[in-house]
Amino acid sequence: MAGTKKEYKDILAELGDQRSAFRKAVDLVRNHGLGATGAIIILSMMIMAALATYLAPYDPELNNFASMHEAPNASYWLGTDQFGRDLLSRLIYGARTALFVGFVAAFSGATIGLVLGVTSAYLGGTFDLVFQRFIDVLIAFPTIIIALTMVAIFGTELHHVIIAISIPFMPDAARIVRSNALQIRQIAFVDAARALGFSNRRIILRHMLPNVMAPYLVILTANIGQAILLEASLSYLGLGVQEPTPSWGLMLQGGAEEYAESAPWIAFFPGLAITLAVFGFNLFGDAIRDALDPKLRQQ
Amino acid sequence: MYKYTAKRILLMIPTLVGAAILVFGLLRLIPGDVCELRLAGSGTYVDPDAIRDCQLKLGMLDPIWKQFYDFMIGLFTFNFGDSMWTGQPITHEIKLRFALSLQVAIMATIVSVAIAIPMGTISAVKQNTWLDYVVRAFSIAGIAMPSFWLGILIILGLLIYTQAWFGQPWMPPIEYVDPFTDPIGNFSQLIWPAIATGYRYSAVATRMMRSALLEVLREDFIRTARAKGIKEKIITQRHAWKNALLPVVTVIGIEFAFLMGGLVVTEQVFNLNGLGKLFVESVTNHDYTMTQALVMLVATIFVITNFVVDLCYAWLDPRIRYS
């Protein structure tokens, strides 16, 4: 039987090799259109962020008062802002800020939620009861209110903004992971592990965690887009990333409204970038959810 | 039902008390305070005694337990004291802005329902056609688009189109007018923020409407109705809607509770003097008492809305009451 299995695998591999990379990409888009669109957007954003130094035609933080409010033209493709800074370069560098904040905040929020949710489900009892009440309290606040309060406490340095954004994602992740972990706790292998005398830590890390990875990944991908949006909102309110760091939300804050009438491009392109990025992550997140968690598909 | 209601009310209290403790504790961690900001905010040297006097006057040097005690007494008697920044009573400051925020929230909810129900219905009835894809893309775009950018675009669009059509640019009025004294002025000011916020909130409701309707349309009684030869339009509107609307109403209810938070950004764009703007101001000014009161207000609205939604559910589905 092992031989048959191997042959089958070989045939598959050969078949796979026969298709060109382009063909594979076309098939992928045809079968998972929306998810692939999302992946393409995310990939191009990552390339933009990684190669920002090579791609950006100008220094994103360089003021040039000789060319303020220039409309999009041959030398400034997307125009310049009120300080004469090139909008395209700021957009490209802004992808770095957005991706960095989005990934780190969503990852830390979801991971803290994961660990707390699994622990709470495994330990049960008083810990679980108190923890659930705590989650109830946190969920009663809109995300932006928590994030704003956190920024007020910690300050507006980049890593503080990331902490402020990750905290509101924690309770949702904990709640969803906990309900999944509760089901897994019912399965006999957890009791078997306890009967073997394994420590709580080992059971949680080695036996429970791997089984709640699916909902965790779904929450994680869904949160990245929301984290980018939250960063943009905070920066727009002036309580997020500070000048002169290029951030899409910040680009909308400064002159965007004041000069909206005379220089609409300042307001238009950064917003478009945010929308596209969040759109991409949402599409990709939906595809991940469909692939990993068929039960959730209908929502 | 009475027992269930009583149980739910009792469960609300620890949540709110927990929220109060959390907010109170967090705000005490903020470095710098309102006195330093007010007296030395511009960077000039200020006599430390002056700052001390100011802190003493605002009760900031009282022991923590005393401050917390005052805060809790204030919560239960609806007397939150004075704002540390303006010196005005907090209840007065909130009252000034509450009507505006509430009105925008209600209008945004209406906008989101007006988008979600027809869009979700089209999407479900024409499942997997290009119409369905267009509607879904429209609603995913709604979640992706920052409401402040949509707000800027709306203002920009208004300026450009009124300029092109009427020869002079028109902007929504900036002063808030009571809807009962000048309904047209009020409406022309608040409809734009309501659209900017409502579109975003319609996205989740549209998805919910679509999936709920899809589920109902597969039920046996729909097949029976079709077999009887009833027109498809009547099946959707009379038979399917009623059964699909319940989860949609829940989603909308919960979103309404969150709208107060969602308005933080929108009010900034449209320069509306509402609760959201007040919140941002109080956070930047380290105005503890005001921030505390506002956060508790938002949390209370959320908890009560949840309570009402749960009660509706329990009333409609007896199984929930006994579990």
Side-chain angles (χ1 to χ4, degrees):
Chain A
M1 281 313 278
T4 341
K5 207 174 170 184
K6 202 181 165 206
E7 272 170 35
Y8 181 62
K9 246 181 157 177
D10 286 344
I11 293 168
L12 262 189
E14 271 171 38
L15 274 178
D17 286 341
Q18 277 169 2
R19 296 185 307 165
S20 68
F22 176 71
R23 186 72 225 167
K24 273 188 216 162
V26 169
D27 282 357
L28 187 74
V29 173
R30 188 176 291 161
N31 296 333
H32 305 276
L34 292 176
T37 315
I40 291 169
I41 296 174
I42 296 170
L43 262 178
S44 26
M45 228 180 115
M46 285 174 162
I47 294 172
M48 242 164 77
L51 302 179
T53 17
Y54 305 104
L55 289 174
Y58 298 92
D59 179 350
E61 295 177 14
L62 184 75
N63 296 348
N64 179 1
F65 296 108
S67 57
M68 295 189 300
H69 299 294
E70 268 192 40
N73 57 39
S75 46
Y76 300 101
W77 289 1
L78 300 183
T80 60
D81 66 4
Q82 68 274 26
F83 300 109
R85 296 177 299 196
D86 178 40
L87 277 182
L88 179 64
S89 307
R90 283 184 76 71
L91 269 192
I92 293 174
Y93 274 92
R96 272 191 184 174
T97 317
L99 275 182
F100 183 67
V101 175
F103 268 111
V104 179
F107 178 78
S108 31
T111 309
I112 298 171
L114 169 79
V115 174
L116 289 177
V118 172
T119 313
S120 171
Y122 176 76
L123 293 179
T126 324
F127 180 85
D128 190 39
L129 200 74
V130 172
F131 180 71
Q132 259 189 290
R133 289 284 84 77
F134 181 64
I135 295 293
D136 279 351
V137 169
L138 279 183
I139 283 180
F141 301 115
T143 42
I144 190 143
I145 301 240
I146 303 185
L148 275 174
T149 316
M150 292 297 155
V151 167
I153 294 167
F154 295 123
T156 50
E157 288 83 27
L158 190 63
H159 57 280
H160 290 147
V161 173
I162 292 176
I163 296 176
I165 293 173
S166 61
I167 288 174
F169 292 129
M170 195 268 290
D172 270 338
R175 186 180 252 193
I176 296 169
V177 167
R178 180 182 163 273
S179 70
N180 274 277
L182 276 179
Q183 287 167 14
I184 287 158
R185 208 186 164 325
Q186 304 296 319
I187 305 173
F189 77 92
V190 178
D191 288 331
R194 286 176 77 171
L196 284 170
F198 291 161
S199 67
N200 282 347
R201 209 186 104 157
R202 186 188 162 114
I203 296 174
I204 291 174
L205 289 180
R206 300 284 292 274
H207 299 266
M208 306 270 293
L209 270 189
N211 286 298
V212 290
M213 279 334 260
Y216 167 71
L217 282 177
V218 171
I219 300 164
L220 178 62
T221 39
N223 280 355
I224 297 175
Q226 292 312 303
I228 293 178
L229 202 58
L230 201 50
E231 186 269 313
S233 305
L234 287 182
S235 302
Y236 171 75
L237 291 174
L239 288 163
V241 181
Q242 299 294 308
E243 289 278 11
T245 313
S247 147
W248 295 337
L250 199 57
M251 290 167 78
L252 284 171
Q253 187 223 1
E257 280 168 287
E258 235 173 287
Y259 306 110
E261 209 184 338
S262 55
W265 54 90
I266 305 180
F268 184 73
F269 294 114
L272 191 67
I274 300 169
T275 308
L276 261 180
V278 181
F279 190 67
F281 275 106
N282 283 352
L283 287 180
F284 187 68
D286 281 1
I288 294 273
R289 188 195 57 203
D290 288 353
L292 291 180
D293 204 343
K295 268 179 290 176
L296 287 171
R297 196 167 296 174
Q298 292 196 325
Q299 293 171 20
Chain B
M1 194 72 197
Y2 291 115
K3 215 174 148 190
Y4 179 82
T5 314
K7 207 175 110 191
R8 287 285 328 189
I9 291 179
L10 283 178
L11 271 177
M12 276 161 64
I13 296 170
T15 309
L16 287 175
V17 171
I21 296 174
L22 191 73
V23 170
F24 181 84
L26 282 176
L27 289 176
R28 293 306 178 280
L29 293 174
I30 298 183
D33 61 48
V34 63
C35 289
E36 285 172 24
L37 196 72
R38 188 156 64 184
L39 297 172
S42 48
T44 48
Y45 173 76
V46 184
D47 185 13
D49 283 348
I51 291 184
R52 222 187 130 70
D53 279 352
C54 163
Q55 285 173 335
L56 202 66
K57 217 171 80 191
L58 293 176
M60 287 163 64
L61 298 177
D62 290 348
I64 287 287
W65 66 265
K66 170 87 171 35
Q67 291 186 32
F68 185 69
Y69 176 78
D70 289 346
F71 171 50
M72 290 305 270
I73 293 294
L75 275 186
F76 284 109
T77 53
F78 297 104
N79 175 20
F80 302 103
D82 296 340
S83 156
M84 287 179 165
W85 185 256
T86 60
Q88 297 282 328
I90 289 176
T91 343
H92 170 76
E93 297 266 355
I94 290 181
K95 219 195 229 157
L96 273 181
R97 297 162 174 93
F98 190 73
L100 183 138
S101 288
L102 186 70
Q103 205 197 331
V104 179
I106 292 172
M107 282 167 78
T109 309
I110 295 172
V111 169
S112 91
V113 171
I115 296 175
I117 290 182
M119 288 288 220
T121 309
I122 292 173
S123 193
V125 174
K126 306 270 178 204
Q127 193 193 2
N128 292 332
T129 62
W130 64 270
L131 253 173
D132 182 23
Y133 288 122
V134 169
V135 170
R136 280 161 73 188
F138 179 77
S139 71
I140 299 180
I143 304 184
M145 202 181 280
S147 52
F148 53 91
W149 186 54
L150 187 60
I152 297 176
L153 289 188
I154 289 176
I155 295 177
L156 207 60
L158 281 177
L159 282 174
I160 293 171
Y161 283 108
T162 47
Q163 171 88 51
W165 288 337
F166 307 111
Q168 55 182 23
W170 179 83
M171 280 277 276
I174 293 181
E175 280 296 309
Y176 174 69
V177 278
D178 194 74
F180 299 106
T181 46
D182 180 9
I184 298 171
N186 174 282
F187 185 80
S188 65
Q189 181 194 21
L190 297 186
I191 186 65
W192 314 108
I195 290 175
T197 329
Y199 172 41
R200 179 174 170 73
Y201 281 88
S202 74
V204 183
T206 308
R207 280 183 154 198
M208 192 49 115
M209 182 75 204
R210 178 177 180 272
S211 63
L213 202 57
L214 276 179
E215 216 161 279
V216 173
L217 284 175
R218 290 197 191 105
E219 298 270 343
D220 287 341
F221 72 92
I222 297 288
R223 198 183 319 139
T224 313
R226 285 205 182 115
K228 284 198 292 188
I230 300 177
K231 271 190 203 144
E232 201 59 30
K233 195 176 159 191
I234 295 175
I235 293 178
T236 322
Q237 289 182 358
R238 290 240 183 96
H239 298 72
W241 263 17
K242 270 183 201 162
N243 291 287
L245 275 178
L246 188 64
V248 182
V249 171
T250 317
V251 167
I252 290 167
I254 291 172
E255 277 176 356
F256 179 74
F258 269 119
L259 258 177
M260 286 294 179
L263 287 178
V264 167
V265 187
T266 322
E267 282 177 4
Q268 205 76 21
V269 185
F270 289 95
N271 207 6
L272 296 174
N273 195 13
L275 290 180
K277 205 159 179 243
L278 185 65
F279 181 74
V280 176
E281 276 165 14
S282 71
V283 166
T284 17
N285 293 339
H286 299 300
D287 188 346
Y288 297 160
T289 44
M290 181 64 89
T291 315
Q292 272 167 194
L294 283 172
V295 170
M296 286 315 291
L297 180 71
V298 171
T300 312
I301 293 175
F302 179 81
V303 170
I304 290 176
T305 316
N306 254 345
F307 167 70
V308 173
V309 169
D310 276 0
L311 273 195
C312 291
Y313 250 77
W315 180 58
L316 290 166
D317 188 347
R319 280 171 303 182
I320 297 172
R321 258 175 273 164
Y322 299 112
S323 66

